Amino acid sequence: MKRIYITIMIILSVINCVAVDTLGLTDTYKGDEAKKKLLAAAKIGDYLTANAAFTEQGYTGSQLDSLVATQVITASIIDEAVFSIDESKYYKKKDVDNCAQVIQFLGVALDYDSFTTYLTNRTCRLSPNDMILDKNIGKSSNSGS
């Protein structure tokens, strides 16, 4: 009887974990939301970087605005292809938010576009939570181990 009770408890625990992760009730973003956050941060970072670069080159007014807009649109198209986020999985909020900050601010400081910042920065090596048992439980999912 005791074994049946323990088996039932284990099964219910696993089902609960799956339900919580599937519904996104943990401290996570669903992949599509995570990607939107990263793309929004990238647009801000690319705007700031392009605006500073073209202003330094002497462009002003509508000419500056069109050059910056073209740069941001081009980078956004590349970002869509480069940002490797599985939109059906879940990612830790802290990891996604940290990556977004890196894309938004570090790229500007180093004069890099968003996709270069994303590809070269370890903070943006995001990995999704596992469905049944989160291999990243209690630690950052983008840490090496």
Side-chain angles (χ1 to χ4, degrees):
M1 184 70 163
K2 198 172 191 179
R3 283 187 179 171
I4 293 174
Y5 177 73
I6 291 172
T7 304
I8 290 173
M9 292 306 291
I10 290 172
I11 291 171
L12 289 176
S13 176
V14 170
I15 290 171
N16 184 38
C17 290
V18 171
V20 168
D21 275 350
T22 303
L23 296 174
L25 299 176
T26 58
D27 196 25
T28 61
Y29 291 123
K30 189 164 186 220
D32 58 345
E33 185 179 354
K35 191 166 187 175
K36 285 178 190 175
K37 288 193 172 295
L38 296 179
L39 290 172
K43 286 179 184 171
I44 293 168
D46 287 331
Y47 173 82
L48 294 172
T49 303
N51 192 50
F54 289 126
T55 300
E56 187 177 303
Q57 293 174 20
Y59 293 102
T60 59
S62 62
Q63 189 177 25
L64 173 65
D65 293 341
S66 72
L67 287 170
V68 170
T70 302
Q71 185 73 23
V72 171
I73 290 168
T74 303
S76 294
I77 292 168
I78 296 169
D79 291 340
E80 279 284 344
V82 169
F83 289 10
S84 58
I85 301 291
D86 185 336
E87 295 185 16
S88 66
K89 298 202 176 182
Y90 290 87
Y91 297 82
K92 292 196 182 307
K93 284 183 180 182
K94 181 180 176 186
D95 295 344
V96 172
D97 292 340
N98 288 342
C99 178
Q101 284 184 332
V102 164
I103 291 171
Q104 187 171 339
F105 299 115
L106 185 64
V108 175
L110 298 176
D111 196 26
Y112 289 159
D113 49 47
S114 55
F115 50 88
T116 302
T117 304
Y118 175 82
L119 290 172
T120 60
N121 196 291
R122 184 177 183 157
T123 304
C124 292
R125 293 186 189 144
L126 304 173
S127 60
N129 290 344
D130 289 337
M131 280 298 281
I132 295 176
L133 296 175
D134 182 5
K135 69 181 177 190
N136 303 310
I137 197 160
K139 62 181 179 178
S140 173
S141 65
N142 57 9
S143 64
S145 53

